[in-house]
Each structure stands twice: as structure tokens, then as C-alpha cells.
């Protein structure tokens, strides 16, 4: 059955996505209530990622907490809009368990790669944002649409590749953006989705061909 606009407003069609968006918004509201989310020192004191504190103070938890923090309302709004719209589609495609693992894994990988890069380059920036995890969803959706013969719920391969390229471009064109974290999240999302969803989907399709000789590339693909 094709999705419609009401699907995005129904928590039952993407429960984990709604929870993740809610957590990010609640964290932002709490931080805004007690301080200023656009202040680097304040964000650092409340869990943002910083290579010095991670490496020398062994505060590895910052690799996770930073993925639920945002610098200002615009940063939050941009990330949550993409998460809300694309996350629900991805969640329906891969299922709840895979979705949670890919989201958290991509966010953590993005944070770690950003940490490693800054250590390598001698930088000591303050980093926060869900972008790494969200880029993981973008990467994962590329695998999903490929597995569904190039289209899934109105999203095709060219559109996903264009979206990934465009968001990466804006990241590199905007000062202060953690592009290494974005790339880390994107690649991790592609890898995790390929192994956890792509390979099983392809194997299942090969083993269970339809009576007319075609193969079934997924249970929720109304376009094939």
C-alpha cells in the first residue's frame, strides 16, 4: 500500500523515529532552559564532544551524548526535519531493531571518526549534532532503494545519491560543519545496512522467486 502524507503524522508508522526526534527536542529544550546552546563552553560542559577531553580525560561518553545535542534552534530544526521525514521511511523498510542499530552505530562512528581526525590534525574543536546518525540513514536508504530495484516509497537511487551529494556539498561549503563526522556516518550507514538488510534481502529474493519468474525484493515495495 502506498504511503501518504498522513503516514508521517502517525507515530505507529515510525515509532522509533518519533522517539528519537522527541529525545533530541527534549534535550535541546532542557539545555536552552539552563543555558545557551549556541555557547561552545556551555555545550562542552554539558556533554559535547571535544578530542582533548575524550583522549586525556577519558570522557568517551561524549562520543554518544554529543549526537543528541545541537547548537541553536536552526541546527536542531534542520536535522530533525530530515530525520522525521526520511527516518520513518527507513524505519519501515529495515525494521525497528536494524533501524536503532544503524542510527546509533552511524552516530557513534561519525563521532569517533571526527575525534580521530581532529587528533590527527591537532584540532581541538567542540562538536555536537545528530548529523552523523542522520547521514547514516541517508546512506542506508541508498542500499534500500538499490535492493528494491531502484525505487522505494517514491524514492529512487538517483534521488538518494543526489540528496547525499547535496547535503555533503552544503556541509563543505558551510564554515564550522563537521564534514568528517558526516562522511563517517554516511559510510557506516551504507555498510551496516548492506550487511544487516541488503544481503539478507537479496538472498531471500533469490531463494523465493515469484511464480511469474520475477523476484521479490521486499515485503513493503508497492512499486515493483
Amino acid at each position: 500500500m502506498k504511503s501518504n502524507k498522513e503516514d508521517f503524522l502517525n507515530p505507529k508508522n515510525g515509532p522509533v523515529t518519533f522517539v528519537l526526534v522527541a529525545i533530541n527536542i527534549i534535550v535541546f529544550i532542557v539545555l536552552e532552559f539552563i543555558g545557551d546552546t549556541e555557547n561552545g563552553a556551555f555545550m562542552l560542559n554539558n556533554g559535547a564532544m571535544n578530542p582533548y577531553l575524550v583522549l586525556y580525560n577519558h570522557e568517551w561518553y561524549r562520543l554518544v551524548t554529543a549526537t543528541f545535542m545541537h547548537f541553536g534552534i536552526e541546527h536542531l530544526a534542520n536535522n530533525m526535519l530530515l530525520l522525521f521525514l526520511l527516518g520513518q521511511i527507513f524505519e519501515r523498510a529495515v525494521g525497528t531493531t536494524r533501524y536503532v542499530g544503524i542510527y546509533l552505530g552511524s552516530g557513534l562512528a561519525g563521532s569517533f571518526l571526527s575525534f580521530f581526525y581532529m587528533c590527527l590534525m591537532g584540532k581541538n574543536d567542540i562538536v555536537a549534532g545528530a548529523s552523523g546518525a542522520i547521514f547514516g540513514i541517508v546512506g542506508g536508504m541508498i542500499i534500500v532503494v538499490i535492493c528494491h530495484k531502484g525505487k522505494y516509497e517514491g524514492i529512487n537511487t538517483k534521488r538518494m545519491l543526489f540528496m547525499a551529494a547535496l547535503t555533503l556539498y552544503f556541509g563543505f561549503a558551510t564554515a564550522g560543519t563537521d564534514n568528517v563526522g558526516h562522511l563517517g556516518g554516511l559510510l557506516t550507514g551504507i555498510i551496516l545496512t548492506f550487511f544487516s538488510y541488503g544481503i539478507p534481502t537479496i538472498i531471500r529474493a533469490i531463494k523465493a522467486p515469484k511464480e511469474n519468474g520475477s523476484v521479490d525484493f521486499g515485503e513493503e515495495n508497492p512499486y515493483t
Side-chain angles (χ1 to χ4, degrees):
M1 182 172 62
K2 290 186 179 182
S3 61
N4 53 53
K5 293 180 180 179
E6 293 181 357
D7 288 343
F8 292 101
L9 302 178
N10 188 348
K12 292 182 180 179
N13 293 321
V16 175
T17 299
F18 273 77
V19 170
L20 289 171
V21 170
I23 291 174
N24 278 279
I25 292 175
I26 290 171
V27 169
F28 179 80
I29 292 174
V30 170
L31 290 175
E32 271 293 307
F33 183 77
I34 63 176
D36 181 7
T37 57
E38 295 189 23
N39 182 284
F42 170 76
M43 294 290 279
L44 185 64
N45 290 334
N46 286 277
M49 200 276 285
N50 173 262
Y52 180 88
L53 294 180
V54 171
L55 185 62
Y56 295 104
N57 287 9
H58 308 293
E59 297 177 6
W60 296 97
Y61 66 87
R62 292 178 180 272
L63 297 177
V64 177
T65 56
T67 63
F68 292 94
M69 302 173 65
H70 292 84
F71 289 105
I73 187 65
E74 184 177 353
H75 187 202
L76 174 74
N78 290 337
N79 278 346
M80 291 307 100
L81 179 61
L82 186 56
L83 174 59
F84 183 73
L85 296 177
L86 192 61
Q88 292 184 65
I89 300 174
F90 186 62
E91 181 178 352
R92 289 195 292 269
V94 303
T96 300
T97 302
R98 290 191 188 99
Y99 179 65
V100 172
I102 293 167
Y103 181 91
L104 296 178
S106 298
L108 181 60
S111 289
F112 182 80
L113 191 60
S114 177
F115 156 76
F116 181 78
Y117 174 78
M118 285 191 287
C119 288
L120 194 64
M121 301 301 294
K123 295 184 177 182
N124 196 39
D125 299 336
I126 300 171
V127 178
S131 299
I134 295 170
F135 265 88
I137 293 176
V138 174
M141 276 302 303
I142 294 175
I143 299 299
V144 168
V145 295
I146 290 175
C147 287
H148 289 268
K149 296 190 287 188
K151 182 177 285 187
Y152 185 86
E153 291 199 12
I155 301 176
N156 58 39
T157 307
K158 289 183 179 180
R159 185 177 298 179
M160 284 308 309
L161 291 174
F162 177 75
M163 180 185 297
L166 186 64
T167 48
L168 284 172
Y169 167 76
F170 279 121
F172 281 103
T174 304
T177 303
D178 182 20
N179 295 300
V180 175
H182 292 179
L183 285 171
L186 179 70
L187 294 175
T188 301
I190 290 173
I191 293 170
L192 291 179
T193 307
F194 175 73
F195 282 104
S196 68
Y197 175 81
I199 291 178
T201 299
I202 294 171
I203 292 175
R204 184 171 64 249
I206 293 174
K207 288 184 176 180
K210 292 182 177 179
E211 293 182 359
N212 60 8
S214 62
V215 293
D216 183 3
F217 278 83
E219 64 276 4
E220 291 189 51
N221 182 17
Y223 298 94
T224 58

